[in-house]
Amino acid sequence: MLVVSDEVQAALARRRPVVALESTIIAHGLPRPRNLRVALELEEAVREEGTVPATIAVLDGRPHVGLDKEQLERVAGEDGIRKLGHRDLPLAAATGASGATTVSATALLAARAGLRVFATGGLGGVHREWTATQDESADLGLLARTRITVVCAGVKSILDVAATLQRLETLGVAVAGYRTERFPGFYLADSGHPVDWTLRTPAEVAGVMRAQDALAGPESALVVANPVPEEQQLDPALHTRVLDEALRECDARGVTGQAVTPFLLDHLVRHTEGASLEANLAAVRGNVRLAARIAAAWARG
C-alpha cells in the first residue's frame, strides 16, 4: 500500500541521504499559490545540500513517500485535501481519500519507508488548560514509539511549552538543542525554557542516532530543536501581546478541541500582519537545510 517514489527508492538502495517533509504546511498552512512555490523551494533546498527530498502525502487512499511535481500541485491546489494524523491513515486508505500528513502521520510513514530524518516547522504538544481539557497532540505519543530524527523549531508557542517538555521526558523522547542551550519557541528563538543537551554539528546528531541503534532501547524519536535565527523571529513583545489577545478571544467565543490551534494561528497571522507566517517559514527553511545535512552525515556512517 505504501508508494515510495522511484527517486527515493534509488536513494535508499544506494545509501544516499533522504529527508522526509510533511505536506500539511502545503495544503493547510499557506495560501495559494504561495504554498506550491514554498513546497518546491523546500525540496530544492534539500537538493542543494546533496540530499533527496521525500514529501509525504496520501493521494486517493495511497500513502506516497516522495511526490512528483504534478502530485505536489494536487496537494497544493486541490479542494477537499484532508488533514491526516496517523490515526486517520487507515480511514483514508479504506475510503480512497486524499490528505496532507501532519507530523505524526509523516513520521510514521517515513519510518515505514526506511527514512530516518524528518524536517518540520514546530511539533504539537500539550495544550494550555490541559488539566481541564486533557488536550494533547498525537505527535507526542507517536514520537515515543517511532525511531526517527525530527528537526523542528520546538513546539508551537500557543501551547504549554513547559508541560510539553515534561511530557516528552515522561515518554522517553530525547530532546537536544542545536547550537543552543534554550528550547526554541517556534516563532521565537527562545521559549524561555532550557534544554538538557546541546548538539553542535550534523555529525554529532548522527552520532546520537547511531548510539540509539547500538543501545537497542525503545524505538523512540530524537528531537533536534533548531531555533529560528533571532533576526528572523517574530518580535517577542508583539508575540506576547497578540497571543494574549488570541487566547482571550478564543475563550470568549467558546472555541474548543481541534478548532483551538487553527483559530490561534490564524489570529496570529492576521494580527501580526503576516509576520508570524514569515517567522514560521524562516524556521522551516532552516530546519530543512539542517535536516539535509544531518541525513548526509547519517548516510556517511
Side-chain angles (χ1 to χ4, degrees):
M1 181 177 290
L2 188 64
V3 180
V4 181
S5 73
D6 291 343
E7 182 184 25
V8 172
Q9 285 190 56
L12 292 173
R14 297 169 185 166
R15 297 186 62 82
R16 287 189 60 205
V18 183
V19 170
L21 303 172
E22 65 159 287
S23 50
T24 296
I25 189 174
I26 304 169
H28 302 287
L30 295 167
R32 301 173 184 170
R34 190 181 186 189
N35 58 346
L36 178 59
R37 294 199 301 270
V38 169
L40 295 170
E41 174 197 340
L42 296 179
E43 289 210 343
E44 182 58 28
V46 173
R47 295 186 193 283
E48 287 174 358
E49 298 293 336
T51 303
V52 173
T55 302
I56 295 178
V58 176
L59 298 173
D60 304 316
R62 303 193 72 186
H64 287 255
V65 177
L67 303 180
D68 61 27
K69 189 171 186 292
E70 182 178 337
Q71 291 167 331
L72 278 173
E73 288 171 351
R74 279 193 65 184
V75 174
E78 188 174 292
D79 293 332
I81 294 288
R82 300 183 65 126
K83 185 176 182 180
L84 304 177
H86 72 280
R87 69 167 190 170
D88 303 307
L89 293 175
L91 295 157
T95 61
S98 296
T101 52
T102 64
V103 166
S104 68
T106 305
L108 176 63
L109 294 173
R112 292 288 184 271
L115 278 59
R116 191 61 184 271
V117 182
F118 164 35
T120 187
L123 297 182
V126 177
H127 287 244
R128 295 167 188 252
E129 307 297 331
W130 182 89
T131 54
T133 65
Q134 303 287 290
D135 193 355
E136 174 184 311
S137 171
D139 294 355
L140 305 184
L142 191 283
L143 293 178
R145 55 183 185 273
T146 305
R147 181 58 56 82
I148 197 160
T149 295
V150 184
V151 181
C152 64
V155 299
K156 296 178 177 68
S157 55
I158 61 175
L159 302 172
D160 187 330
V161 178
T164 301
L165 286 169
Q166 181 60 57
R167 187 73 177 126
L168 286 167
E169 180 181 346
T170 300
L171 291 169
V173 177
V175 177
Y178 188 75
R179 297 180 179 175
T180 180
E181 296 178 354
R182 310 293 295 174
F183 190 69
F186 193 43
Y187 302 122
L188 306 176
D190 183 354
S191 70
H193 300 276
V195 289
D196 292 328
W197 296 93
T198 300
L199 300 172
R200 301 199 174 275
T201 66
E204 282 190 354
V205 178
V208 175
M209 295 162 62
R210 284 189 280 273
Q212 283 181 310
D213 293 347
L215 290 167
E219 291 290 311
S220 56
L222 168 63
V223 173
V224 178
N226 181 41
V228 63
E230 287 191 13
E231 65 274 13
Q232 294 178 296
Q233 71 175 343
L234 184 60
D235 177 72
L238 176 63
H239 173 271
T240 298
R241 177 176 61 79
V242 174
L243 179 56
D244 287 346
E245 292 170 356
L247 290 167
R248 288 195 297 270
E249 187 168 342
C250 187
D251 185 59
R253 294 191 184 189
V255 178
T256 59
Q258 290 185 333
V260 171
T261 294
F263 177 88
L264 294 176
L265 294 177
D266 178 68
H267 186 100
L268 278 164
V269 171
R270 288 186 291 108
H271 292 268
T272 63
E273 299 181 346
S276 65
L277 180 59
E278 297 308 318
N280 180 1
L281 288 174
V284 172
R285 291 183 183 106
N287 295 342
V288 163
R289 288 195 176 274
L290 175 58
R293 292 165 189 164
I294 291 169
W298 168 253
R300 285 194 292 269

